[in-house]
Amino acid sequence: MSVESMCGKKFTFSFFLILISGLAFSQADQENEIENVTIKAVKKYKNKKENPAYAIMQEVWKKKKSNGLLLHKDYQYKSYEKIDFRLDNIDSAFTKKRIFRGLDSIIFKYNDTSQIAGRSVLPLFITESISQIYGKNDPKKERRDLIAIRNSGLKNNQIVARTIQNMYKDINIYDNTINYLNIGFTSPVSKEGFAVFDYNITDTIEINTVPSYEIRFTPKNPDALALKGRLYISKDKYNVMKVEMQTNKNININFVKNIATDLEFDNPDDSTFIPIRNETTLALTLNDKDGAKNVIAKRTADYSEYKFDLGLDDSFLNKIVIPEDNIIDKDERFWQANRTEALSESEQNIYKMYDELEDNPKYKRIIKIIEIFNSGYIPAGHSGIDIGNIFQTVGYNDIEGFRLRAGARTYFSKNDMWRIQGYTAYGFKDQKWKYGAEAKYMFNKTNRFTIGAGTRKDVLQLGVQLTTDEGIMTRSFASSSVLNSGETTSMSSVNQFNVFTSIEPWKNFQIKLDATQQNIKSADTNQFNLNYYRQGLLRTDLNDTRITATLIARPGIKFSTYGVDRYELTALANNPTFILKYTKGVAGVFDSDFNYNKLQFYYYQPVILGNWGRLFANVEVGKNFDALPLALQNVLPANQSYGLQRGVFSLMNYYEFTADSYAVMFLEHHFNGKILSQIPLIKKLKLREVAFFRSGIGSLKQETIDMNAGSIRLSAPDKPYYEYGFGIENIGWGNFRLLRIDFNWRGNYLNHNTTNTEIRKFGIQFGFQMNF
């Protein structure tokens, strides 16, 4: 298990943890029948067609794809968004805790008792933003321009503020699935709703002057991960006018005690019903006991100034607008004029509190810890140099033994246009120094035209990734593992130089060109070698010069920064990734040994499957059009560590399967407790189940086999290799459940041995997942 995988990569909610730890009719006939409904007490119906609410919901379903913004070719509107964090249930004992010493005189004078009756509330954090949204419906395109953003504290760290914003998502109540923290909840307006909820008409009231039905919905299974609340449906048009919903009591989401959302709609004309307000509140806690202190995270979004059918063209919608700090930093007069609702006294106090905290030494230390935990780098004073990545400091393998690595990078601001970074490492067994360095410069933030160059000399575990990143600073998990289930002797010594350029001509579409020269040889020929025949001569090393063209499309991905290195927002990311890569080997250039052509395609997609959980799927296919030695071949990716790693075969040995042509598929489904929550007693443990399946197939040319003279017999999986298993995640206590354990079985090739390493028919892997 690599140290980095154990610690987690960029932990998007580390900020919150630190806070918490411190703390069937014709339409005419149906309309008549609905109008004559008599409101009765809440009851359950044996047949949904007997339920008067079913007739109403049928009309809602008919209109769900042809209402609101969908009625118009294009649209624009203004969005005001406010997110504030408060710590509730504060008592005198809490204010005297050691962690607050040096801060208490500032923090606790802003305690607020007016918001939640009977409890004292401590304001923690607030961020506001104003955006202008433009969009069209056919084809669906949207552009969001950030006009202004303001946040208390962390004034030089928009990363945290934008990460907090990305925890929330604008909810379309007409979608079948509502995404809360990447966990799918069945929408009460979904056609599948009657399989999940009991519906009852409980009243008729006016919402924004529109007569509406009040329909109560409750989960059929009180232990299921589901919502409860009320729908308000207009009596004449059958549009949703308002929604009040929250999670049921037995919610099984880490660090979350409750989620509640209120949605409100208006009808500016007889046919258009548009969202005007979205209010979502998260109750975050490490302790799920009654009376425990919670961080209340509330997001309010108001939508106004709607305009329709303006004739917006694709060139306008595709334009990338970079929110520069000097443009989006507005003064108080701007905010007073542009807020759609005034700040409460408590919210104003948050700004006052952070103005006073800004120069407090202890507060500065806390903020610095948050920044280090998110980035993995430690600032060296005000020099513009960061030390790290600290998560890559320690490693172990059979060639280097115990390995220590130290590195640094330039970092002057989050939107730096250039970056220089490097590292050095030492292996205590081979007693050799290794190094790597890279420099890059971005000329333009809009199309991100960038050039760069780098070099490294290091010991690497090749063959653990098919569609590789050409970057110098990347290092595979297998090269820096701490705990391994087999020998890690098949390491290679790589001396590499790389130059590259990239550009994004369209939003989230990158074109990249790399030119790489490298020498590859075995790190220890007594334990592993890459020997091959070339023109009748036995060779022990390989010179390779290649040019690589890569197309990368990631529609929908969002970033919080726009410098040469971007911080990706992953909290609610379900966007796909497409990579098409062509590699051309050029013989004779810098003594390169081979001419060759390689084509590869990679696809990755996380998918929320309603309340059945979340599926991670990726597929890769590729082909070498020429015979090549092992060092340049497609090696099916293996994992001999005990750590969890997606996109590799957990029971395959390094270099066990090699292929000129290949296709692999990895499926991993997280059920979010859908099954275990139904079992008495076990459901109290709040465990979640995971199922996975992995398969790969390939072929080898005879010329490739004849060329090989190394210690590994080349073999391709000419019939599909597969492995499968299940895992238990969410292991822990209270609301702090980070451990996952996987149980893997190998399905075939049980006697296949090409690497003189024992074939593992069963294996256990474990790791920590920083997930909600």
Side-chain angles (χ1 to χ4, degrees):
M1 175 182 295
S2 69
V3 172
E4 186 172 2
S5 67
M6 291 178 65
C7 295
K9 294 184 180 179
K10 290 185 177 179
F11 188 17
T12 58
F13 50 86
S14 62
F15 175 64
F16 316 131
L17 285 185
I18 291 174
L19 287 175
I20 297 169
S21 62
L23 336 159
F25 304 91
S26 71
Q27 184 171 346
D29 290 339
Q30 186 174 352
E31 287 179 356
N32 291 334
E33 188 159 334
I34 294 170
E35 288 290 343
N36 295 322
V37 165
T38 300
I39 308 304
K40 298 181 180 180
V42 173
K43 61 178 290 187
K44 292 190 177 183
Y45 295 86
K46 293 182 180 180
N47 188 320
K48 64 184 180 182
K49 293 183 180 180
E50 298 175 359
N51 188 343
Y54 182 66
I56 296 173
M57 295 308 298
Q58 281 186 307
E59 290 302 304
V60 175
W61 300 334
K62 289 179 183 179
K63 298 175 179 292
K64 64 184 296 184
K65 292 185 178 180
S66 60
N67 59 17
L69 299 180
L70 296 176
L71 289 173
H72 303 275
K73 291 183 179 179
D74 57 54
Y75 55 86
Q76 76 174 56
Y77 62 91
K78 177 182 175 182
S79 170
Y80 167 73
E81 183 176 348
K82 174 179 64 181
I83 302 173
D84 72 88
F85 280 57
R86 301 151 187 261
L87 187 63
D88 81 334
N89 208 21
I90 303 301
D91 54 28
S92 59
F94 180 79
T95 64
K96 297 176 181 178
K97 288 184 177 292
R98 183 176 180 181
I99 190 173
F100 297 115
R101 292 178 185 174
L103 304 175
D104 51 346
S105 62
I106 300 174
I107 293 176
F108 294 114
K109 73 177 182 180
Y110 292 109
N111 278 13
D112 175 31
T113 58
S114 62
Q115 297 294 315
I116 301 177
R119 297 201 302 243
S120 181
V121 178
L122 173 65
L124 294 174
F125 177 85
I126 187 170
T127 180
E128 299 176 272
S129 64
I130 296 175
S131 301
Q132 189 72 35
I133 294 89
Y134 308 89
K136 64 183 297 186
N137 287 310
D138 188 20
K140 183 65 177 178
K141 289 186 179 181
E142 195 166 86
R143 166 179 158 184
R144 180 181 293 263
D145 292 354
L146 181 64
I147 306 301
I149 189 169
R150 181 189 190 191
N151 51 281
S152 59
L154 307 171
K155 292 186 177 179
N156 296 317
N157 193 350
Q158 296 288 354
I159 293 175
V160 174
R162 294 297 294 271
T163 301
I164 291 170
Q165 290 177 314
N166 200 49
M167 285 180 59
Y168 300 86
K169 189 174 184 178
D170 285 337
I171 294 172
N172 184 350
I173 195 63
Y174 294 101
D175 288 341
N176 290 327
T177 301
I178 295 173
N179 181 354
Y180 284 127
L181 306 175
N182 276 332
I183 297 175
F185 290 79
T186 300
S187 169
V189 181
S190 167
K191 289 186 177 181
E192 305 299 323
F194 278 84
V196 179
F197 306 106
D198 289 318
Y199 293 86
N200 283 271
I201 305 176
T202 54
D203 203 351
T204 55
I205 63 174
E206 285 193 356
I207 303 293
N208 291 328
T209 72
V210 177
S212 304
Y213 297 106
E214 180 187 78
I215 301 177
R216 178 184 174 186
F217 58 93
T218 55
K220 290 180 178 292
N221 178 1
D223 294 318
L225 198 64
L227 299 167
K228 62 181 179 180
R230 285 179 169 81
L231 284 169
Y232 298 86
I233 308 297
S234 62
K235 295 180 70 175
D236 55 349
K237 298 294 184 180
Y238 300 101
N239 287 90
V240 178
M241 293 300 303
K242 188 176 180 181
V243 185
E244 298 171 351
M245 58 187 179
Q246 63 178 313
T247 52
N248 61 337
K249 182 178 180 181
N250 298 322
I251 186 174
N252 183 6
I253 305 178
N254 288 330
F255 318 111
V256 179
K257 189 174 183 178
N258 184 61
I259 304 174
T261 293
D262 290 351
L263 307 175
E264 191 173 344
F265 300 79
D266 196 7
N267 59 326
D269 55 53
D270 290 338
S271 58
T272 303
F273 289 78
I274 54 176
I276 58 173
R277 188 174 178 86
N278 180 340
E279 184 177 294
T280 296
T281 303
L282 307 178
L284 307 171
T285 182
L286 284 182
N287 189 338
D288 55 2
K289 295 181 180 180
D290 292 338
K293 294 172 180 61
N294 304 320
V295 170
I296 306 300
K298 181 180 178 181
R299 182 244 191 182
T300 302
D302 292 332
Y303 313 110
S304 60
E305 300 181 15
Y306 280 91
K307 297 179 182 178
F308 302 105
D309 301 323
L310 302 174
L312 302 177
D313 57 29
D314 288 350
S315 61
F316 175 80
L317 293 172
N318 290 332
K319 184 179 179 180
I320 301 172
V321 179
I322 306 301
E324 299 288 357
D325 288 353
N326 61 333
I327 298 176
I328 61 176
D329 185 14
K330 306 292 186 180
D331 59 22
E332 180 60 28
R333 286 184 299 175
F334 172 89
W335 287 102
Q336 290 180 1
N338 287 274
R339 287 189 185 103
T340 53
E341 61 178 52
L343 295 182
S344 67
E345 182 180 354
S346 176
E347 290 167 337
Q348 295 177 33
N349 284 340
I350 299 178
Y351 285 118
K352 294 178 182 178
M353 180 179 71
Y354 279 101
D355 285 342
E356 294 185 42
L357 284 171
E358 191 171 5
D359 296 323
N360 185 283
K362 186 169 185 177
Y363 171 73
K364 289 182 177 179
R365 289 195 296 269
I366 293 173
I367 296 304
K368 193 62 65 180
I369 291 172
I370 296 173
E371 293 174 343
I372 292 171
F373 198 58
N374 270 283
S375 69
Y377 286 86
I378 303 173
H382 299 285
S383 64
I385 304 295
D386 288 354
I387 308 300
N389 188 317
I390 59 175
F391 299 134
Q392 300 174 352
T393 301
V394 179
Y396 179 87
N397 58 71
D398 290 331
I399 300 299
E400 297 177 280
F402 184 64
R403 171 189 170 103
L404 287 179
R405 168 173 160 156
R409 68 175 185 181
T410 61
Y411 192 92
F412 297 95
S413 75
K414 62 185 182 298
N415 289 323
D416 284 347
M417 300 292 286
W418 61 279
R419 180 86 70 237
I420 299 174
Q421 53 191 331
Y423 73 90
T424 184
Y426 183 78
F428 287 84
K429 183 176 180 180
D430 65 355
Q431 298 183 342
K432 293 181 179 179
W433 286 95
K434 295 87 179 177
Y435 63 84
E438 183 179 73
K440 49 190 173 183
Y441 181 83
M442 185 171 69
F443 292 89
N444 185 293
K445 289 184 180 180
T446 302
N447 61 25
R448 299 189 60 79
F449 175 51
T450 305
I451 61 171
T455 184
R456 71 175 164 188
K457 186 174 184 180
D458 206 342
V459 172
L460 303 173
Q461 177 63 66
L462 304 180
V464 292
Q465 190 177 4
L466 286 165
T467 309
T468 58
D469 186 340
E470 302 293 322
I472 291 293
M473 297 301 293
T474 60
R475 183 174 179 85
S476 75
F477 69 94
S479 301
S480 54
S481 299
V482 177
L483 300 174
N484 297 285
S485 58
E487 293 182 346
T488 53
T489 56
S490 56
M491 309 282 284
S492 298
S493 178
V494 179
N495 193 347
Q496 187 178 58
F497 179 76
N498 168 261
V499 294
F500 67 88
T501 184
S502 67
I503 193 171
E504 291 190 7
W506 306 287
K507 184 178 181 180
N508 296 331
F509 182 82
Q510 180 184 14
I511 301 173
K512 186 177 180 182
L513 293 175
D514 287 88
T516 304
Q517 191 281 324
Q518 60 184 345
N519 176 269
I520 304 173
K521 60 184 179 182
S522 171
D524 186 341
T525 56
N526 295 322
Q527 302 187 71
F528 164 75
N529 71 70
L530 294 163
N531 296 352
Y532 64 97
Y533 291 104
R534 181 173 182 267
Q535 298 177 346
L537 299 176
L538 181 67
R539 295 285 303 274
T540 59
D541 68 339
L542 180 145
N543 290 316
D544 174 43
T545 300
R546 63 190 184 197
I547 299 172
T548 302
T550 308
L551 305 179
I552 304 173
R554 303 186 68 195
I557 195 67
K558 297 179 181 179
F559 301 92
S560 67
T561 56
Y562 296 89
V564 67
D565 289 326
R566 290 185 291 188
Y567 185 93
E568 182 180 325
L569 296 173
T570 59
L572 293 180
N574 287 298
N575 53 286
T577 298
F578 303 91
I579 300 175
L580 181 63
K581 182 177 180 180
Y582 170 70
T583 304
K584 171 64 178 177
V586 186
V589 178
F590 298 110
D591 297 323
S592 178
D593 294 320
F594 291 94
N595 273 314
Y596 62 91
N597 299 273
K598 178 188 290 191
L599 189 63
Q600 296 171 289
F601 174 75
Y602 171 94
Y603 167 71
Y604 167 76
Q605 176 76 73
V607 183
I608 293 180
L609 299 176
N611 61 0
W612 279 97
R614 193 180 189 204
L615 173 69
F616 295 89
N618 65 280
V619 175
E620 294 186 60
V621 294
K623 181 178 180 63
N624 276 335
F625 293 87
D626 307 274
L628 289 172
L630 180 59
L632 297 178
Q633 268 299 346
N634 303 309
V635 180
L636 269 64
N639 180 11
Q640 289 185 201
S641 77
Y642 285 108
L644 300 173
Q645 193 73 24
R646 187 177 292 133
V648 295
F649 294 97
S650 294
L651 295 177
M652 188 182 289
N653 293 322
Y654 299 140
Y655 289 105
E656 184 177 347
F657 288 106
T658 308
D660 290 304
S661 302
Y662 68 87
V664 297
M665 177 179 68
F666 301 93
L667 302 174
E668 180 177 298
H669 187 72
H670 298 248
F671 289 89
N672 292 334
K674 179 76 172 180
I675 300 171
L676 295 178
S677 66
Q678 311 297 318
I679 303 175
L681 299 180
I682 291 180
K683 65 184 181 182
K684 294 183 178 181
L685 299 176
K686 295 186 176 182
L687 302 175
R688 302 177 189 169
E689 56 285 320
V690 182
F692 42 82
F693 178 82
R694 315 176 186 110
S695 183
I697 190 171
S699 63
L700 275 173
K701 300 181 181 70
Q702 188 60 46
E703 299 95 316
T704 297
I705 297 174
D706 294 341
M707 182 185 299
N708 178 60
S711 57
I712 293 176
R713 177 174 59 87
L714 300 192
S715 175
D718 52 1
K719 63 178 181 179
Y721 167 91
Y722 70 96
E723 57 187 48
Y724 57 91
F726 71 91
I728 303 296
E729 61 181 352
N730 215 42
I731 302 172
W733 62 92
N735 261 7
F736 200 77
R737 300 170 172 272
L738 305 180
L739 179 62
R740 170 178 163 183
I741 300 177
D742 280 4
F743 304 90
N744 303 268
W745 284 268
R746 182 164 171 149
N748 56 358
Y749 291 94
L750 301 181
N751 297 311
H752 185 258
N753 195 326
T754 60
T755 61
N756 297 319
T757 301
E758 179 184 359
I759 296 298
R760 296 168 292 148
K761 301 177 182 179
F762 172 77
I764 296 177
Q765 293 174 318
F766 62 92
F768 297 104
Q769 293 185 153
M770 308 297 188
N771 295 329
F772 285 103

